[in-house]
Every structure is written in C-alpha cells, then in structure tokens.
C-alpha cells in the first residue's frame, strides 16, 4: 500500500530500524478525497496512456479531476518511454517505492550492486553494449563517485543517469548526512555534469524525460536529485 | 615487511609472462569476443597484443573492469565478454565478484593477472603477496568456476572451457615481474567509439 507520493503506508508511529519514518509530502490529500489505491492506478500501461504521453489521464469512471501518478510511477514511465531498461541501485528507504515499482515491471532489469561506483561501471558497460541504464543511490553514496565520473563517465562520454535521493537537508537527523550532502552539487558543478533537483510532482515527468533524452543525445552523464519536497524524505521520529 | 612464501595453493602454478598470456588469449578470440582491459599494465599488454575493435581500454576508474564487462555481458548475452584485471584492482572492488555471481552471466570470463604487486607504482606488495588467494575469494563470493592456470597451455584450455561451457568463470594467472610490452594511447572518446562500433552498437566506420 503506497500513498499518493509512493511512500509505503505505515500506521502512525511505525518506525524502521534506524528509528526514523518515511513521511508523505506535506499537503497530501486525505484518502477520503482521492482514492489513490483505485485499481486503475495500478493497471499496466497501454498505448496512448501516461507512459506514452506523460500526461495525466481522465478517470473514466468518475468526474473527479485526473489523479497525478505518484513520483515513483512518473519516474518509471519516463524510464520506459526512453528505453532505459537497466536499473541498478544501492538501496535507500526513500528510493524503496521506485525500486519496488521497477522490480514489479518485467520491462526492467533491476538489481543491487555492492558500491555506487560498481553500478556506474555496469551501466557504462551496458550502454556501450546498447542497453540504457540508470543508477539509484543516496546522497552519501554519490559522495563515493567523483573518481569514476571524472575517469570513466565524463571523458568516455557515457550517459550514466543518476537518481540521488536527497538526504542531509529539510529535516535531516544525521550530521554525517548533512555534511556530505553539501559536497554533492559542487562536485557535479566541478565536473560540468547536468543536474536538476526534482521537488515538484507536476514538473517531474518533464524534468526526467528531458534529462534522459539530453543525456543520450549529448552522450553525457546527468544527475537528478530527488528532494524531500517530492518524496517526503526521511525524518527522525522523536 | 617482506612477504612470506606464497600460499601453498598457489605454489603449483607457474609464474607466467603477462604479455605472452595476453597474446595467447587474443589469438584464441575468433568470435568477436569483447575484452575489457583493466587499469595499468593489464591494459597496456592488451594494447600491445594488437588492436581489436572489440577491445575496451579502461583509463582510471581502478577496479571497474569486471563491472564494465558485466554491463556489456548483460546488454549482449550472445557475445562472450572477457575482463582482464590485476590483483590490486580486483582487491579494490571484490564486491563486484559477488554481484557477478548473483547475476550469473554465462557469457562472462574474468582473467586475474596476479603478480602480487602494485607493479606500476614501484612493485609494492599487494595482499596476494601475503595470504590472500583471489581464486578462493571468487569461489567464496559465488563464482564456483574459479581456477588457477597451471601453465600457459592450461590457461588456453581454461579459456576454451569458459567460452564453450559458459560461466561466469574466473581464471587466475600467476605472473612474473616483467614490465608491460607497450602503453595504451590515452584517447577515451576514441576508445569508446571504436569499441561500440566493434561490438555492433554503432555502425562500422565506412572504409
């Protein structure tokens, strides 16, 4: 069971092992207003629907305005539309809905690696072999990547697209995450890697779709930073 | 600290010449197999063994020959892919062997060029000069087809078996301390472009 923004639904007060809880984005509509678990939401994509067009769909059975897809489904559909079949990841609580969404779709080849730079190597090899791919990671994992980006993805002109779930800001409870997060954008800027911060659901499809296309067209790596404003992030449960 | 005698499991394996082993491998390749050369002297000897459009020469990104080879193997399951990696490089990214074992690509063979030293930086000993055995490590991480080559003929036999019977496979090669036979031209974009044309991802250059 996921909420509107793709976060697993948990009873109030339920925490994970780290003593934290994934929370929905502020302003999430109450379930009474929009039934986000309606069967149509989870139906497989058909030609002409959102996966093809990126546009919200009118619900045929009600007069309600179209329900926006949760962020994880928007990302999945943009990946599929642009033929990015390989999804490598180093897991993270915030990324969990996206990992589960692509794992449930046989279009994708999805697996975990032991390190982020290993995943960048795998995606680089796959792209040279004709298969497009992405790496999902957390901010702290991105901090392990400057060497592989500077020695492989950038100079060899390989479009490795990185999705980074942003820790270290907007309610961070771990000082190490807060510190290492500040290295991320300066590293991306220093290597002249295209990057965008995704904080709004209504802009997400456009940003992901165009970034994937540009990475391929310009043969350049890119990073999409998934803000807590989009995903709900991860906060300490006091 | 001077290294003790090599572990007993290695003492039966002959110490071989990396440039010769690399030439033997390249001579066996008659099906446009992809070869990913890891950083440093492993890479230089692949270059010196004769340019093939199916060779990828890694520059920097130490330890990533096996992950890159895994990516190629996943994208092109009909093509056999070889990763050539040094002992120091593999020690840096041992987890990649566990990932490879989990994915279990039949078309991937790893050749570990083990001279027990960081030869290119002054021959400082690696952990394999002491007690580490990378063939045993690979087995422990799930690559069960993992063996030391006893000599040059055994190496060629193991390559044929790996290619014909399917893997993933790891072949350990003990090396002497001879220097590399050449040095790779450092032009990353051209290396990548030639490789992609060599393995059919991009059309071949008109001749």
């Amino acid at each position: 069971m996921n909420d509107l923004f793709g976060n697993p639904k948990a009873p109030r007060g339920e925490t994970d092992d780290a003593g934290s809880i994934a929370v929905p984005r502020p302003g999430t509509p109450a379930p009474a207003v929009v039934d986000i678990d309606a069967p149509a939401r989870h139906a497989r994509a058909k030609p002409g629907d959102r996966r093809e067009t990126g546009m919200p769909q009118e619900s045929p059975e009600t007069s309600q305005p179209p329900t926006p897809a949760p962020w994880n489904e928007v990302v999945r559909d943009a990946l599929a539309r642009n033929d990015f079949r390989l999804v490598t990841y180093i897991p993270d609580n915030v990324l969990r809905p996206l990992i589960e969404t692509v794992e449930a779709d046989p279009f994708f080849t999805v697996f975990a690696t032991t390190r982020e730079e290993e995943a960048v190597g795998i995606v680089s090899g796959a792209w040279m072999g004709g298969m497009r791919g992405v790496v999902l990671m957390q901010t702290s994992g991105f901090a392990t990547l400057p060497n592989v980006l500077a020695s492989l993805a950038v100079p060899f002109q390989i479009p490795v697209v990185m999705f980074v779930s942003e820790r270290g800001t907007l309610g961070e409870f771990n000082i190490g995450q807060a510190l290492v997060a500040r290295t991320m954008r300066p590293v991306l800027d220093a290597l002249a890697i295209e990057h965008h911060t995704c904080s709004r659901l209504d802009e997400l499809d456009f940003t992901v779709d165009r970034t994937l296309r540009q990475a391929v067209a310009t043969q350049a790596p890119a990073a999409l930073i998934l803000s807590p404003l989009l995903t709900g992030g991860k906060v300490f449960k006091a | 600290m001077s290294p003790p005698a090599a572990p007993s499991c290695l003492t039966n394996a002959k110490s071989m010449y990396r440039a010769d082993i690399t030439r033997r491998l390249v001579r066996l390749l008659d099906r446009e197999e992809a070869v990913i050369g890891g950083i440093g002297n492993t890479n230089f000897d692949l270059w010196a063994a004769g340019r093939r459009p199916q060779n990828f020469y890694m520059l920097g990104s130490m330890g990533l020959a096996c992950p890159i080879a895994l990516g190629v193997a996943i994208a092109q399951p009909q093509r056999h892919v070889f990763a050539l990696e040094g002992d120091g490089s593999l020690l840096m990214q041992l987890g990649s062997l566990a990932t490879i074992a989990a994915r279990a690509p039949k078309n991937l063979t790893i050749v570990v060029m083990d001279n027990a030293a960081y030869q290119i930086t002054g021959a400082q000993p690696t952990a394999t000069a002491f007690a580490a055995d990378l063939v045993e490590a690979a087995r422990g991480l799930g690559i069960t087809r993992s063996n030391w080559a006893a000599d040059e003929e055994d190496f060629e036999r193991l390559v044929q078996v790996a290619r014909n019977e399917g893997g993933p496979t790891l072949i350990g090669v003990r090396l002497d301390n001879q220097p590399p036979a050449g040095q790779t031209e450092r032009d990353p974009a051209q290396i990548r472009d030639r490789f992609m044309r060599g393995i059919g991802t991009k059309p071949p250059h008109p001749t």
Side-chain angles (χ1 to χ4, degrees), chain A:
Chain A
M1 293 280 275
N2 290 349
D3 68 23
L4 182 61
F5 296 94
N7 299 299
K9 275 184 175 171
R12 285 186 68 85
E14 181 177 302
T15 59
D16 66 16
D17 293 343
S20 60
I21 185 166
V23 297
R25 183 184 180 190
T28 300
V33 177
V34 180
D35 178 11
I36 50 84
D37 291 317
R41 172 66 50 243
H42 301 291
R44 288 286 295 130
K46 290 180 280 297
D49 71 4
R50 183 185 297 111
R51 170 169 290 196
E52 303 301 321
T53 64
M55 298 299 292
Q57 299 296 294
E58 290 288 346
S59 174
E61 57 268 18
T62 73
S63 58
Q64 297 278 351
T67 309
W71 71 268
N72 51 309
E73 293 184 13
V74 172
V75 172
R76 174 201 63 193
D77 292 350
L79 291 173
R81 197 183 312 131
N82 288 281
D83 200 29
F84 277 71
R85 292 172 181 269
L86 179 60
V87 180
T88 59
Y89 68 87
I90 293 79
D92 168 55
N93 259 351
V94 174
L95 291 168
R96 183 177 160 190
L98 177 57
I99 293 166
E100 292 177 350
T101 299
V102 291
E103 274 183 336
D105 188 333
F107 176 82
F108 298 100
T109 298
V110 187
F111 60 91
T113 65
T114 63
R115 290 181 63 79
E116 289 79 2
E117 60 177 348
E118 182 196 359
V120 170
I122 291 167
V123 168
S124 296
W127 186 73
M128 291 191 288
M131 185 182 199
R132 299 174 184 178
V134 298
V135 184
L136 315 182
M137 71 193 86
Q138 191 185 79
T139 332
S140 54
F142 178 84
T144 69
L145 292 183
N147 180 60
V148 68
L149 294 174
S151 62
L152 182 65
V154 174
F156 283 90
Q157 301 176 359
I158 297 175
V160 176
V161 180
M162 298 165 278
F163 287 82
V164 188
S165 73
E166 188 174 27
R167 289 283 305 269
T169 187
L170 296 173
E172 181 57 59
F173 55 88
N174 179 337
I175 188 172
Q177 291 280 0
L179 290 166
V180 80
R182 291 170 195 145
T183 69
M184 177 167 56
R185 289 177 181 84
V187 165
L188 289 164
D189 288 337
L191 293 168
I193 292 175
E194 178 88 2
H195 64 92
H196 298 280
T197 300
C198 303
S199 55
R200 290 177 58 101
L201 187 59
D202 61 346
E203 296 175 353
L204 184 63
D205 179 73
F206 189 94
T207 306
V208 176
D209 184 75
R210 294 294 177 95
T211 299
L212 294 171
R213 286 199 224 179
Q214 181 172 333
V216 171
T218 62
Q219 296 190 164
L224 290 170
I225 299 161
L226 304 173
S227 165
L229 288 165
L230 178 76
T231 63
K234 185 179 176 185
V235 294
F236 184 68
K237 177 84 170 130

